[in-house]
Amino acid sequence: MHVWDLAAAHVAAIERFDSVVTAPRRSIAINLGTGSGTTVRELCAAFNNVVSTPLTTVETDRRPGDVAGGYTKSDRAAELLGWTPKLSLEDGIRSALDWMPVRDELLKD
């Protein structure tokens, strides 16, 4: 999930806090995510769609302990916060790659 989508969800939570968290509840858990998993193949394909030099990949067997998959169920975020992610996996990869060359300069003391 793109960091800007995550930030937008947090803003929505702050804006709607008083209508979402009502007595006697003091808090509520809300999962954030796209609602669908991403395979390693899909991640590599998305990366290759963004970069000019594609990754070289090697197909291999699963490692012991690898899970079959995982994803979020973020229906509650849509219902309570009016939030759904807007940006794609490719958008997230592009933003991460754009951030890398300027990160150290912007975060220095």
Side-chain angles (χ1 to χ4, degrees):
M1 184 171 72
H2 196 291
V3 68
W4 286 118
D5 281 331
L6 182 61
H10 283 81
V11 169
I14 291 168
E15 291 173 344
R16 295 183 184 213
F17 181 82
D18 291 330
S19 64
V20 171
V21 180
T22 57
R25 287 190 304 204
R26 294 169 50 119
S27 65
I28 187 169
I30 300 175
N31 289 326
L32 301 175
T34 63
S36 63
T38 302
T39 67
V40 174
R41 283 186 190 110
E42 290 168 336
L43 181 60
C44 290
F47 189 88
N48 287 341
N49 286 337
V50 172
V51 299
S52 56
T53 305
L55 293 172
T56 302
T57 59
V58 176
E59 294 283 328
T60 186
D61 295 330
R62 282 187 178 186
R63 299 168 299 180
D66 279 352
V67 296
Y71 61 93
T72 57
K73 183 171 175 16
S74 44
D75 299 348
R76 187 180 281 176
E79 176 189 332
L80 297 177
L81 305 178
W83 175 87
T84 56
K86 306 286 186 251
L87 298 164
S88 70
L89 180 58
E90 285 88 355
D91 293 329
I93 293 167
R94 193 173 295 107
S95 291
L97 293 172
D98 289 346
W99 169 244
M100 287 176 61
V102 298
R103 176 190 60 202
D104 291 342
E105 182 64 27
L106 292 174
L107 295 179
K108 72 179 181 183
D109 300 0

